[in-house]
Amino acid sequence: MFVRSQRLLLPILCLVTVTSDAFAIYGDSDEAFGLDASVRNNLFATYNHDLDFTTLDDENRTNGIANVLLRLTAAGQPLDWLKYEFHGLSTTAINGAGANFGGIFGANNNNVAALRYRVFNGQHNLTTEPDVFGAVSLERSNVSFFLPFADITVGRQAITFGKAYFWNPLDVFSPFNATQFDRDYKNGVDALKVDIPLSDEGGFTVVASATQQEGRQEKSGWESSAIIGRLDWTLFGWDVSLQGGKIYGGYQAGMATAGELYEIPFRFEGAYFEPDQNDIFGQHASVVVGTGYRFENTLAFELEYFYNRGAAAIPTQSARNRLAQDARQLIRNELSQPEAFCAKNAQLVPEGVDCTDFIESVSNDDAAITSLVDDQISGLNNDQVRRLANLSYGQGEGRLLNISEQLLGLSVSYEFLPILIGSLGTIYSVSDRSAIVQPGLRLSISDEVDLLAGAILSVGKRSSGSPDFCAQTLGCPESEFGAYPQIFYMQSKLYF
């Protein structure tokens, strides 16, 4: 299957390496109708560590993944007061190891974090094979009305709130990960957005959105909704933003500012979260402070510090209870498939007892399942519980940007040639002394064709398989970035 799919990708690989003059497929999006497109081809090679939670196949140390994204954009402004846009996305992904796709390569949007602030999924999966994924989805679908007193946009749209470079705690609508190397396109959310200009110095924005049932994690419609007000103003040469309102799981208030002191840029962004009564997170604050500079010789750098108090906001006992609850449900599901359960959980079966007899004895015994799970969860220390909870209910559900409490980010870039830019990025966890290092090169063949190559290298203490619960969950992270594989990638982009 992988060889056959590779042959299908060859014409696309050839296409994206050919330069051409810029043109739209049809029309002009600044007029009544325009149709444009872009193709992205991503090739990943990974080296997986033992107990690597990012992959579901622990038998393959190396893996190859190909991902092709074809995006069609229809947009136009038929009237001075009316504008629209529709973005369709076709996704094809192939896993060379023939295993299920790991978390960091999730090609589809059918997961909890991606469904946040979406009223409908808008995706149709085309394949169900474990080594091939294909889907078509509607990524943007909105209409804008330009009225004398406000601009109103309704539908699936990209919304960005934030002024920082690596981390944006105020950007609650599908924010980028700090390690994301391709930020040309942001996922849309289903929302009503109203922009009200107040003066030449700034204006006020209101955004209202909701989350479909599949993305709520047992929350009500109100608890999973968002109604946010944001004031943007220019004051003494500084851009200042005040933001507050209802977000997923609670309430948020914060501010951001960006400006220059003695020609050196500075930026600040801070957010405070007050949870709903039944939310697993406690109240916490997040703060980002950063600076950056570009020298005349094209050398540029960005530096930020992130105080991520949300990484310590889940009470330890609440985290243990939630892990135990999910583990009990997982065991019940596995017990319904005896052959798979016996192959995966042999250590849970008492010595001298036949696995089939064991399954029959515990399948309908809630007390036995609870005892089995509690024995495993009790062996986890508090740090393991915190990291697992932050991964599952923080990053996994789109609630945390990172699982470490304190982080530093540094990015350096340099133009070797006007068409060739080199970069080196590093995210360092001060909390557990792990890091991600990202060297990269970008070659602009023309205005329509870009080629990228680089790596995402992990440094830090690797995952542990002890106690048994950790081994069954593909390892308990002992540091944030030490749990990730080594990744090497190439990307080509074609716009037409």
Side-chain angles (χ1 to χ4, degrees):
M1 174 60 71
F2 183 57
V3 174
R4 182 169 71 250
S5 301
Q6 277 186 316
R7 292 173 180 169
L8 294 176
L9 293 175
L10 285 177
I12 297 177
L13 289 173
C14 295
L15 176 65
V16 298
T17 58
V18 177
T19 60
S20 60
D21 295 330
F23 64 93
I25 295 178
Y26 181 83
D28 189 337
S29 59
D30 291 330
E31 299 179 356
F33 177 78
L35 183 63
D36 301 287
S38 67
V39 175
R40 277 173 170 76
N41 183 78
N42 302 299
L43 299 176
F44 296 98
T46 71
Y47 178 84
N48 304 314
H49 308 295
D50 288 333
L51 300 172
D52 189 340
F53 75 91
T54 61
T55 178
L56 298 182
D57 188 351
D58 56 3
E59 296 181 358
N60 291 281
R61 281 301 185 92
T62 60
N63 194 8
I65 297 174
N67 185 321
V68 179
L69 306 175
L70 171 62
R71 182 172 286 111
L72 295 177
T73 302
Q77 188 169 354
L79 301 170
D80 290 341
W81 54 271
L82 179 64
K83 186 177 181 180
Y84 65 89
E85 66 170 348
F86 298 90
H87 295 193
L89 176 66
S90 172
T91 302
T92 304
I94 303 162
N95 189 329
N100 291 318
F101 290 98
I104 59 174
F105 302 112
N108 64 331
N109 292 322
N110 192 19
N111 59 68
V112 168
L115 294 176
R116 185 70 40 78
Y117 303 125
R118 286 193 169 189
V119 178
F120 67 97
N121 189 351
Q123 176 175 294
H124 176 65
N125 292 344
L126 302 175
T127 60
T128 58
E129 299 180 51
D131 58 343
V132 177
F133 173 82
V136 291
S137 57
L138 186 64
E139 293 302 301
R140 304 276 175 85
S141 176
N142 63 77
V143 179
S144 297
F145 304 92
F146 305 112
L147 307 179
F149 59 89
D151 297 340
I152 302 174
T153 303
V154 182
R156 181 158 296 177
Q157 56 189 292
I159 298 177
T160 299
F161 287 157
K163 295 185 179 300
Y165 182 83
F166 289 99
W167 298 281
N168 299 111
L170 289 179
D171 192 357
V172 299
F173 299 106
S174 189
F176 287 115
N177 188 286
T179 60
Q180 181 69 41
F181 63 86
D182 184 1
R183 299 192 178 193
D184 288 352
Y185 193 87
K186 188 177 186 184
N187 289 337
V189 297
D190 298 332
L192 167 67
K193 181 164 74 81
V194 181
D195 294 302
I196 305 172
L198 300 177
S199 71
D200 293 339
E201 283 74 35
F204 187 73
T205 299
V206 178
V207 176
S209 183
T211 300
Q212 63 175 292
Q213 183 63 46
E214 289 83 351
R216 292 184 185 175
Q217 295 91 46
E218 302 179 354
K219 293 185 179 297
S220 67
W222 169 250
E223 291 173 333
S224 61
S225 67
I227 304 177
I228 293 177
R230 182 180 174 95
L231 177 66
D232 291 290
W233 209 263
T234 300
L235 188 64
F236 302 114
W238 284 69
D239 295 330
V240 180
S241 300
L242 300 176
Q243 178 177 316
K246 175 74 181 67
I247 67 171
Y248 187 94
Y251 300 84
Q252 185 194 66
M255 68 168 295
T257 183
E260 292 186 354
L261 289 176
Y262 303 103
E263 299 185 352
I264 299 177
F266 288 94
R267 52 186 176 266
F268 166 87
E269 189 169 329
Y272 170 79
F273 177 77
E274 180 70 30
D276 286 324
Q277 183 176 359
N278 298 321
D279 195 70
I280 190 173
F281 279 86
Q283 58 184 7
H284 61 272
S286 300
V287 175
V288 177
V289 180
T291 184
Y293 195 78
R294 180 181 173 88
F295 298 94
E296 293 184 1
N297 64 354
T298 75
L299 178 67
F301 77 92
E302 302 289 344
L303 176 65
E304 281 184 359
Y305 167 75
F306 181 28
Y307 175 68
N308 180 32
R309 185 59 181 171
I314 302 179
T316 302
Q317 191 56 48
S318 297
R320 285 185 184 273
N321 293 340
R322 180 74 179 271
L323 288 172
Q325 175 185 338
D326 291 348
R328 286 194 291 270
Q329 185 59 48
L330 179 62
I331 285 184
R332 289 189 183 98
N333 294 339
E334 291 183 344
L335 286 171
S336 64
Q337 304 175 18
E339 185 175 339
F341 178 87
C342 293
K344 181 180 179 181
N345 301 286
Q347 82 287 346
L348 299 181
V349 181
E351 187 176 352
V353 177
D354 181 75
C355 184
T356 303
D357 295 336
F358 174 77
I359 292 176
E360 292 180 356
S361 67
V362 302
S363 292
N364 298 315
D365 189 342
D366 288 340
I369 293 176
T370 299
S371 176
L372 191 66
V373 169
D374 289 350
D375 287 344
Q376 292 193 24
I377 298 294
S378 63
L380 299 174
N381 61 45
N382 288 341
D383 285 339
Q384 290 174 323
V385 169
R386 177 180 58 81
R387 292 192 182 100
L388 284 172
N390 285 343
L391 279 172
S392 298
Y393 317 123
Q395 280 190 310
E397 295 182 358
R399 309 288 299 276
L400 289 178
L401 298 174
N402 285 90
I403 69 170
S404 296
E405 191 170 350
Q406 297 188 69
L407 299 107
L408 289 171
L410 173 65
S411 175
V412 180
S413 65
Y414 182 76
E415 292 185 9
F416 297 103
L417 297 170
I419 63 171
L420 181 64
I421 300 176
S423 63
L424 179 65
T426 301
I427 306 292
Y428 176 71
S429 170
V430 179
S431 304
D432 58 36
R433 298 186 296 278
S434 65
I436 286 285
V437 181
Q438 295 183 245
L441 283 174
R442 178 189 296 268
L443 176 65
S444 296
I445 297 178
S446 71
D447 290 340
E448 300 79 38
V449 180
D450 288 336
L451 299 178
L452 289 79
I456 305 175
L457 308 175
S458 64
V459 179
K461 193 173 182 180
R462 303 303 177 190
S463 297
S464 170
S466 178
D468 289 339
F469 182 84
C470 294
Q472 296 305 303
T473 56
L474 296 178
C476 291
E478 297 297 316
S479 66
E480 175 162 8
F481 301 118
Y484 283 83
Q486 312 293 4
I487 304 170
F488 305 88
Y489 66 86
M490 293 184 63
Q491 182 187 68
S492 56
K493 304 179 183 179
L494 173 65
Y495 303 90
F496 55 92

